Amino acid sequence: MTAKTNTKTPQPDDLDLKFYQATADAGALCIQQCAECGQRTHPARYYCPVCSSEHFSFKAVSGRASVHSYTVSHFSVESAWKDKVPYLTIVAELSEGPRVIARTSSITPTSIAIGMPIVLRVEVVTPEFSYVWADPVEGSS
Amino acid sequence: MSRRGRANFSGKAAIVGIGETGYFRGTDQSILQMVLSASMAAIRDAGLKPSDIDAIIPPPGFVAWDEIAAHLGVSDVRYTSCPQMGGASPTAALITASMAVAAGVAEVALVPIGWNGYSALRPRPDARPNKRRFTAAFFETVKNYYAPYGLRSAPWWYSLYLERYVKYYDVPAEAAGAIAIACRKHAQLNKLAAMRDRPLSMEEYLASPFITEPLRKHDCCIETDCAAAIVVTTPERARDLAHIPVTLLGGAEGHPDRPDELINRSDMLSLGLDRAAPQAFAMAGVNPQDMDFLQIYDCFTYVVLLELEALGYAERGGAAEFVRNGNIELGGKYPLNTHGGLMSQGHCWGMNHIVEAARQLRHQAGEAQVKDCEIGLVTGYGDLGDGTIAILARGAK
């Protein structure tokens, strides 16, 4: 299930735009991967932080992740969010390493815990922006 | 300690002038007017004239060095720079000014800052549009990755790591409350404090609503319109001026790896101050236990707890014990934010912390005076975790 999205989408450029375009094209979260050493980096960088290579591509990741941190927001001045409080925002650590922000409609402030396994999927909003959504792993919560 | 050798400007620069406006919840003064007013107050406080200034180092904001020079009548500027690290910038600017005068690039540096932190968000109906805007590189990260998720400003971004700090180390809300209450108590002694006459109890603190967990309303600093400034010069020049000099013994800045982004650091709780603090103590040749007071950048209470840990007053996750039982209140061992801080005096990007440190070390802090204090520290924290620290002492060293 996908909640109605009525927030303003960003207008990324540079590598941030390439990340969002790759993700929208694939319909899956695509993270920068170094062509030489395999390091995955997010947000994408022009030089690999490990080997300094400038050769890379955006590759789909598994979606397997865990909750690294989160916040439950009880207040917002933004029109797109103030009717959604309390809303939960997750720092998800991918099994491949990098961390991304994710929203959720299936995990609640009372069911979330640091370290909890989750699975990520994307909602393509425009060819240049997708949301990442988190769901609990079947049977884990 | 340092890979690059110890910095060698300890004792070679001093704060000789301080100035500040009030901390207003709404004002008719423009940002430029407030900055000029605080600057002129600092120059006069030092016993100097604008023509004595030859360096202007304004932290990033809304007013630039050239218009400050032109309005004040500073006719011969030899050096300027502008540290870009949000709330860590005033202390970085103090360090930069100290290096400039120690190196002989300039002799008398003005370090001013000011803004309309309250009025910018609450313009009066008849106000002309505010054309002065402030930006930073990490805003791109915010726009592209955080804001779409309802995380548009500082409390929301910082909560992404502060909630991990709270949950992972089981940090009690009362520890953050102790910070808010110490600042509020000290503000009662300060005529300029925006929260004077508004005391805060632990019960009120705990009952205040969450903004975004773990941050309650009373964990957040207050928005004010204000400006503050200092004048920095050499120990030689300081000898003839109006007040006992406040000497920079140690100063350093530090930044988390990946400073433009918050969540992909190997340790999401790392602060720039983790790296800066040991450098500054080594440069000064003193220990955290030598400090008579702590003026800690207090945008949010939980950030103060992490800063206290970075400074070495507690292990990671252990600051709750340090802030108990009045240890950080006047009369305790480490009085913290004796002016009320950003939490309760007002938000002047921490320049007000530097002004207060100088006032304490001159022994001019009135009811909030830390008796016979000789040495203390100031920290800055900005953007996505940049950290700065200055260790200051009374008199020439």
Side-chain angles (χ1 to χ4, degrees), chain A residues 7-8 10-13 16 19-20 41-43 45 49 68-76 78 81 87 89 91 98-103 114 129-132, chain B residues 140-141 143-153 155-156 159-165 167-168 210-214 258 260-268:
Chain A
T7 54
K8 268 192 290 187
Q11 296 182 305
D13 53 20
D16 300 322
F19 157 75
Y20 277 121
T41 306
H42 182 77
R45 306 294 184 179
H68 189 72
S69 190
Y70 60 91
T71 184
V72 180
S73 299
H74 297 261
F75 174 79
S76 177
E78 296 178 60
W81 290 95
Y87 57 92
T89 314
V91 177
R99 299 180 195 131
V100 298
I101 306 271
R103 58 193 297 195
I114 286 174
F129 179 72
S130 300
Y131 274 113
V132 179
Chain B
E140 282 302 305
T141 309
K143 281 187 279 185
N144 291 331
Y145 297 105
Y146 306 164
Y149 291 86
L151 314 170
R152 192 167 289 276
S153 60
W156 287 266
S159 287
L160 293 177
Y161 80 88
L162 296 176
E163 183 70 348
R164 179 172 170 86
Y165 173 62
K167 286 290 190 292
Y168 194 84
F210 278 117
I211 305 296
T212 185
E213 295 183 41
R258 306 195 189 189
D260 72 340
E261 195 265 346
L262 195 59
I263 66 167
N264 271 286
R265 296 164 183 171
S266 56
D267 173 5
M268 205 164 75

Side-chain angles (χ1 to χ4, degrees), chain B residues 264-288:
Chain B
N264 271 286
R265 296 164 183 171
S266 56
D267 173 5
M268 205 164 75
L269 306 186
S270 63
L271 302 184
L273 191 60
D274 292 323
R275 291 169 162 176
Q279 301 276 347
F281 284 117
M283 175 177 161
V286 298
N287 296 308

Side-chain angles (χ1 to χ4, degrees), chain B residues 26-290:
Chain B
T27 177
D28 290 325
Q29 290 188 71
S30 72
I31 301 171
L32 179 60
Q33 271 179 298
M34 289 192 292
V35 167
L36 295 172
S37 161
S39 297
M40 194 59 98
I43 293 166
R44 288 179 174 149
D45 174 69
L48 292 166
K49 300 186 298 297
S51 55
D52 294 311
I53 301 295
D54 60 2
I56 301 178
I57 304 175
F62 311 83
V63 182
W65 69 270
D66 51 355
E67 53 186 336
I68 295 169
H71 278 280
L72 289 178
V74 176
S75 56
D76 187 4
V77 177
R78 300 162 65 198
Y79 181 69
T80 76
S81 76
C82 182
Q84 299 281 349
M85 51 186 100
S89 302
T91 299
L94 161 62
I95 294 166
T96 301
S98 299
M99 291 192 289
V101 302
V105 175
E107 189 180 31
V108 185
L110 172 68
V111 183
I113 193 170
W115 72 326
N116 58 350
Y118 184 88
S119 297
L121 299 171
R122 303 165 187 81
R124 295 179 186 181
D126 58 343
R128 294 169 72 86
N130 173 29
K131 289 178 296 188
R132 293 174 185 271
R133 292 263 182 260
F134 160 73
T135 192
F138 79 94
F139 286 180
E140 282 302 305
T141 309
V142 169
K143 281 187 279 185
N144 291 331
Y145 297 105
Y146 306 164
Y149 291 86
L151 314 170
R152 192 167 289 276
S153 60
W156 287 266
W157 318 322
Y158 295 158
S159 287
L160 293 177
Y161 80 88
L162 296 176
E163 183 70 348
R164 179 172 170 86
Y165 173 62
V166 167
K167 286 290 190 292
Y168 194 84
Y169 293 103
D170 204 15
V171 177
E174 287 80 0
I179 305 289
I181 287 164
C183 288
R184 188 62 66 89
K185 274 192 183 173
H186 298 161
Q188 305 315 307
L189 307 174
N190 183 337
K191 288 189 180 63
L192 292 181
M195 288 296 162
R196 188 172 160 97
D197 302 324
R198 291 176 66 175
L200 177 69
S201 69
M202 187 61 85
E203 292 68 33
E204 288 169 287
Y205 165 81
L206 291 170
S208 74
F210 278 117
I211 305 296
T212 185
E213 295 183 41
L215 299 176
R216 292 171 165 83
K217 178 184 164 192
H218 284 308
D219 290 308
C220 305
C221 62
I222 55 174
E223 289 155 338
T224 49
D225 303 328
C226 52
I230 55 171
V231 174
V232 175
T233 191
T234 61
E236 295 73 26
R237 184 72 187 267
R239 254 183 243 134
D240 305 326
L241 299 181
H243 300 284
I244 185 166
V246 171
T247 301
L248 184 93
L249 290 187
E253 69 180 68
H255 308 276
D257 194 6
R258 306 195 189 189
D260 72 340
E261 195 265 346
L262 195 59
I263 66 167
N264 271 286
R265 296 164 183 171
S266 56
D267 173 5
M268 205 164 75
L269 306 186
S270 63
L271 302 184
L273 191 60
D274 292 323
R275 291 169 162 176
Q279 301 276 347
F281 284 117
M283 175 177 161
V286 298
N287 296 308
Q289 290 69 33
D290 297 325

Side-chain angles (χ1 to χ4, degrees), chain A:
Chain A
M1 188 203 76
T2 295
K4 185 168 175 287
T5 298
N6 61 351
T7 54
K8 268 192 290 187
T9 57
Q11 296 182 305
D13 53 20
D14 260 285
L15 293 186
D16 300 322
L17 176 60
K18 292 200 165 69
F19 157 75
Y20 277 121
Q21 286 174 332
T23 293
D25 287 350
L29 185 60
C30 286
I31 298 287
Q32 182 190 39
Q33 185 164 21
C34 176
E36 298 195 29
C37 78
Q39 174 73 17
R40 290 185 174 90
T41 306
H42 182 77
R45 306 294 184 179
Y46 275 107
Y47 293 89
C48 172
V50 173
C51 75
S52 299
S53 167
E54 47 195 307
H55 303 292
F56 56 82
S57 60
F58 289 89
K59 293 240 176 79
V61 291
S62 65
R64 286 190 300 275
S66 62
V67 173
H68 189 72
S69 190
Y70 60 91
T71 184
V72 180
S73 299
H74 297 261
F75 174 79
S76 177
V77 294
E78 296 178 60
S79 54
W81 290 95
K82 61 187 177 188
D83 62 346
K84 293 191 173 65
V85 295
Y87 57 92
L88 173 59
T89 314
I90 297 171
V91 177
E93 185 167 281
L94 297 165
S95 61
E96 291 87 354
R99 299 180 195 131
V100 298
I101 306 271
R103 58 193 297 195
T104 185
S105 57
S106 54
I107 303 169
T108 66
T110 50
S111 68
I112 194 159
I114 286 174
M116 173 180 161
I118 50 178
V119 60
L120 305 182
R121 61 192 162 82
V122 300
E123 172 202 359
V124 177
V125 180
T126 74
E128 299 182 356
F129 179 72
S130 300
Y131 274 113
V132 179
W133 289 85
D135 294 306
V137 172
E138 291 287 316
S140 77
S141 68

